[in-house]
Amino acid sequence: MKFMKLGTRPDTFYTEEATRTVISDIPSDIVIQINDTNYLLHKFPLLPKCGLLQRLCSDSGDSDIVTIELHDLPGGEDAFELCAKFCYGIMINVSAHNFVALFCAAKFLRMTESVEKGNLVLKLEAFFMSCILEGWKDSIITLQNTSKLPEWSETYGITRKCIDSIVEKILTPPAKVAWSYTYTRPGYSKKHHHSVPKDWWTEDISDLDIDLFRCLITAIRSTYMLSPQLIGEALHVYASRWLPDTTKNRPPESSVSQTEELMEKNRRVLETIVSMIPGDRGSVSVGFMLRLLSIANYLGASPMAKAELIRRSSLQFEEATVNDLLFPLPSTSGRHSYDIDLVVSVLESLVVLWRRISPTASENSQFLVSIRKVGKLIDSYLLVVAKDVNMPVSKIVSLAEALPDIARLDHDDLYKAINSYLKEHPDLSKADKKRLCRILDCQKLSPEVRAHAVKNERLPLRTVVQVLFFEQEKGSKETGNRLLPPPELIRNHTPTIGDDQGKLKLGLDEKSSRGESTRRTITPAGNSEKDQNKMKRSDGKLPLELEKKLIIAEIEETESEKGKEIRGEGMSRSKLDPKKIITKGSRSDNSRDKGRDR
């Protein structure tokens, strides 16, 4: 930072109560009142250099002591005292920190060349042009100080000249950057890097007030010389510095008024940043936009800002990672559960866009690949949030159902998430278990996962029977026959997970040997077309006959706890073998069919 020294005399100003006086043998003959401070000074050093004081003193007549009020002086007492010391020849230091206030005060007091040669305004202008505007950080500090006197700075051209100087330096090719700058990115050290990074300027301009920052970014974009990614990086650095981090617990504020004031300031910063995001895809990362959306929800930003962030995030949603989606939701109990509503809002926006595309176009376009990436992302996210003990089942279901069917090629990952949720919520009601498992399509499970599901005692009976049916139906297709699962399966089967068997490698707590996941041998129940039609339903669900039997079994299970004990004695849950049940049921059904034939 550069300085300019003016004057040579030592400082002789002193304070007595609210009065500032100069040590002198000559009594003061002019009193300058600025706010609550009175300056007892002398006409001779001041009037020759201050055109305003000359006029005001001439208007006051020939009184010995003249009192002048300058309450509207830009810069207040501090700026006036520097001007007064210049008039007395007392040494003062001028820098980027005090230049704005001093220059505006000198212009206000008319300390120009027309009043006296070599006056303060001329000296300040020379320092401004040759030192401040030539420096990088000096220009930024000066521009930042214009926020204290925005109207005066704009009137005297300080703001515009500082912005032009900063923009000119930002547009300089990195190889020609020779001035000092701040760059504290992880892994970067100036000692080990000879080349200047393209975003070298982003950290220093983040010191600016949001309004000045907006003016500067607007001026940079108007040149069309920097890529949208560099503009986006500048926005990212500014947001990281000034906006709250919603991935951590917010610190308690000292008062409600202070909190509201800070919230309002942060809202303005957020909405301004959102309005400046370039329209080019990829100018900012989807992770950054999701973070802004989380902050917008926390701050209560405008619906327009939220809608824009949701729309932009949905366009790049396939680029997100699970960590980009993990935002805690503050609760009154001090615990945090994940903000699923944020993810649902972005996903729903994406689905709306997807549905606008015709089916033929969507099946043959890159969009189909994108939405399947999103499907993998959502299922991986569900696996993480399912472990939150405070997560309501309705949130899991709403997010899982927000994905269109075409987004999932299989339901293996979804099954893992459901199983993880059931494990973390052992007290879940039967109704909630059914509601949760209803989103699972058993036909889209791999053989390994189906083998695990058959022995999963956490699943509702209906789900297990569906898995068994579709496993059996798949086997019957290979032999050209179909078989209806026998009544004994519905009445007597209770799924279980043995301690030493039925454990699969699903990324969960269970692991399995592949020897237990072999397909079942199915005995045909009948070959007539009538029997085949009984088993078909257009919606891909269980056959009507099996559906009725299953409902009866569920009613019996709910009404009779004693029945569970009897079934437990008759058949150990850990030794249940679906093959034997199906084979036994097949023989029973075949004998009944033969009796009817006779």
Side-chain angles (χ1 to χ4, degrees):
M1 181 177 293
K2 297 183 179 180
F3 297 85
M4 180 177 67
K5 290 184 178 182
L6 298 175
T8 57
R9 294 179 55 189
D11 190 354
T12 55
F13 274 67
Y14 70 95
T15 302
E16 185 176 345
E17 294 182 353
T19 302
R20 295 281 287 165
T21 309
V22 178
I23 298 175
S24 176
D25 296 334
I26 303 174
S28 61
D29 53 3
I30 184 171
V31 178
I32 307 295
Q33 296 180 348
I34 301 176
N35 299 326
D36 298 328
T37 304
N38 293 328
Y39 286 88
L40 303 183
L41 304 175
H42 306 84
K43 293 179 182 178
F44 173 70
L46 295 178
L47 268 58
K49 290 181 171 59
C50 300
L52 178 64
L53 296 182
Q54 289 179 12
R55 183 178 65 79
L56 294 177
C57 286
S58 63
D59 293 343
S60 63
D62 297 330
S63 57
D64 295 335
I65 300 178
V66 179
T67 301
I68 299 175
E69 295 183 0
L70 295 177
H71 300 304
D72 55 348
L73 178 77
E77 303 96 310
D78 295 337
F80 173 77
E81 187 165 319
L82 289 174
C83 292
K85 288 179 178 180
F86 172 79
C87 296
Y88 277 93
I90 296 173
M91 187 177 67
I92 61 174
N93 289 322
V94 183
S95 69
H97 289 286
N98 61 10
F99 169 81
V100 174
L102 181 58
F103 184 78
C104 292
K107 292 283 283 186
F108 182 85
L109 294 172
R110 299 178 191 171
M111 301 176 71
T112 61
E113 291 299 290
S114 61
V115 177
E116 186 178 69
K117 296 295 182 180
N119 215 339
L120 181 57
V121 170
L122 179 65
K123 296 181 181 299
L124 291 176
E125 287 178 341
F127 176 70
F128 181 59
M129 299 299 294
S130 62
C131 295
I132 291 181
L133 294 183
E134 290 298 317
W136 165 248
K137 291 188 177 180
D138 286 344
S139 298
I140 295 175
I141 293 172
T142 302
L143 179 61
Q144 175 65 6
N145 286 319
T146 62
S147 62
K148 301 174 183 177
L149 299 168
E151 294 181 359
W152 293 98
S153 300
E154 190 67 34
T155 300
Y156 296 141
I158 301 175
T159 303
R160 176 47 54 190
K161 290 178 181 178
C162 285
I163 289 177
D164 291 342
S165 173
I166 295 171
V167 171
E168 181 183 359
K169 292 178 175 62
I170 290 175
L171 297 180
T172 301
K176 296 183 179 180
V177 174
W179 47 83
S180 176
Y181 58 87
T182 304
Y183 197 86
T184 60
R185 306 296 195 283
Y188 180 85
S189 174
K190 292 183 180 180
K191 296 180 180 180
H192 299 91
H193 292 76
H194 300 290
S195 60
V196 176
K198 292 182 179 180
D199 60 342
W200 61 268
W201 49 274
T202 57
E203 197 163 341
D204 285 328
I205 67 170
S206 67
D207 291 334
L208 297 172
D209 173 82
I210 185 60
D211 292 327
L212 292 172
F213 178 77
R214 178 181 54 80
C215 291
L216 183 58
I217 293 296
T218 301
I220 294 172
R221 294 181 65 179
S222 65
T223 64
Y224 299 99
M225 294 180 64
L226 294 185
S227 66
Q229 287 74 21
L230 274 178
I231 302 298
E233 179 62 18
L235 299 179
H236 182 273
V237 171
Y238 194 91
S240 299
R241 177 163 186 176
W242 295 107
L243 292 178
D245 187 357
T246 55
T247 61
K248 301 177 181 178
N249 297 340
R250 65 179 186 270
E253 299 292 343
S254 58
S255 65
V256 176
S257 60
Q258 184 179 3
T259 303
E260 288 300 323
E261 181 181 357
L262 182 61
M263 294 278 278
E264 178 59 33
K265 179 181 178 180
N266 288 337
R267 270 195 296 268
R268 193 165 66 86
V269 171
L270 173 76
E271 292 171 3
T272 304
I273 289 176
V274 173
S275 67
M276 290 191 293
I277 296 177
D280 307 73
R281 179 186 173 95
S283 58
V284 296
S285 67
V286 63
F288 174 57
M289 286 189 288
L290 290 170
R291 182 194 161 199
L292 290 181
L293 180 57
S294 176
I295 298 172
N297 292 334
Y298 167 63
L299 297 176
S302 66
M304 184 179 299
K306 291 181 183 180
E308 177 64 12
L309 287 172
I310 291 173
R311 185 188 69 83
R312 294 291 301 272
S313 299
S314 66
L315 294 175
Q316 296 178 226
F317 201 33
E318 64 176 289
E319 303 167 10
T321 64
V322 174
N323 288 334
D324 292 332
L325 310 181
L326 298 179
F327 295 102
L329 185 65
S331 61
T332 55
S333 64
R335 297 180 180 180
H336 290 72
S337 59
Y338 296 104
D339 191 357
I340 280 191
D341 291 337
L342 181 150
V343 182
V344 170
S345 63
V346 177
L347 181 57
E348 288 178 344
S349 176
L350 175 64
V351 172
V352 169
L353 176 64
W354 174 73
R355 287 175 177 168
R356 290 176 183 171
I357 304 176
S358 63
T360 303
S362 64
E363 291 174 2
N364 299 309
S365 67
Q366 183 63 31
F367 198 88
L368 181 60
V369 177
S370 300
I371 202 165
R372 284 180 175 166
K373 287 183 181 178
V374 172
K376 285 287 186 182
L377 171 67
I378 294 299
D379 287 345
S380 299
Y381 173 73
L382 284 171
L383 185 58
V384 175
V385 300
K387 298 176 182 178
D388 184 353
V389 295
N390 297 320
M391 185 63 64
V393 66
S394 58
K395 299 289 186 182
I396 299 290
V397 173
S398 64
L399 178 56
E401 291 181 339
L403 268 178
D405 292 338
I406 198 173
R408 289 188 178 99
L409 289 175
D410 60 69
H411 278 213
D412 286 2
D413 291 338
L414 183 59
Y415 173 81
K416 296 176 190 178
I418 291 174
N419 187 61
S420 180
Y421 187 87
L422 293 174
K423 178 185 175 183
E424 297 295 333
H425 302 77
D427 299 329
L428 198 65
S429 66
K430 291 182 180 180
D432 285 339
K433 284 186 178 181
K434 293 177 184 177
R435 181 183 181 189
L436 180 64
C437 293
R438 196 176 293 123
I439 62 180
L440 194 65
D441 188 347
C442 300
Q443 297 183 85
K444 290 187 176 182
L445 298 178
S446 65
E448 185 181 25
V449 174
R450 284 200 299 267
H452 181 275
V454 166
K455 301 179 182 183
N456 191 345
E457 62 182 359
R458 301 186 185 104
L459 297 178
L461 176 61
R462 175 186 293 269
T463 304
V464 175
V465 173
Q466 285 178 331
V467 174
L468 283 169
F469 173 77
F470 291 119
E471 174 76 6
Q472 183 176 321
E473 186 183 45
K474 185 176 181 181
S476 67
K477 287 180 179 179
E478 295 177 0
T479 59
N481 298 290
R482 293 190 180 186
L483 175 65
L484 195 69
E488 289 83 353
L489 174 62
I490 302 173
R491 297 181 183 275
N492 299 329
H493 175 67
T494 304
T496 183
I497 299 181
D499 294 334
D500 299 321
Q501 62 181 359
K503 296 184 178 181
L504 302 174
K505 287 184 179 180
L506 296 175
L508 308 170
D509 59 311
E510 292 88 4
K511 296 182 179 180
S512 169
S513 63
R514 294 187 176 270
E516 295 183 357
S517 62
T518 55
R519 295 177 178 172
R520 300 164 179 80
T521 304
I522 300 173
T523 305
N527 298 323
S528 66
E529 184 178 352
K530 183 177 181 181
D531 291 335
Q532 296 288 338
N533 291 334
K534 284 182 180 180
M535 302 178 58
K536 294 181 180 179
R537 288 181 66 176
S538 59
D539 54 5
K541 297 181 180 179
L542 294 177
L544 292 174
E545 183 178 346
L546 179 56
E547 187 78 15
K548 293 177 182 178
K549 293 178 182 179
L550 185 57
I551 293 172
I552 294 173
E554 290 176 345
I555 294 174
E556 291 177 355
E557 181 185 12
T558 304
E559 294 179 347
S560 176
E561 293 294 331
K562 184 177 180 181
K564 292 181 180 180
E565 298 176 1
I566 296 174
R567 288 193 298 273
E569 295 174 0
M571 180 180 294
S572 172
R573 295 176 63 177
S574 62
K575 296 181 180 180
L576 180 63
D577 189 346
K579 291 183 178 181
K580 294 180 180 179
I581 296 174
I582 296 173
T583 305
K584 181 180 177 182
S586 301
R587 292 172 181 172
S588 179
D589 284 351
N590 285 332
S591 62
R592 284 195 295 270
D593 292 340
K594 291 178 180 178
R596 284 194 296 269
D597 293 339
R598 289 197 296 269

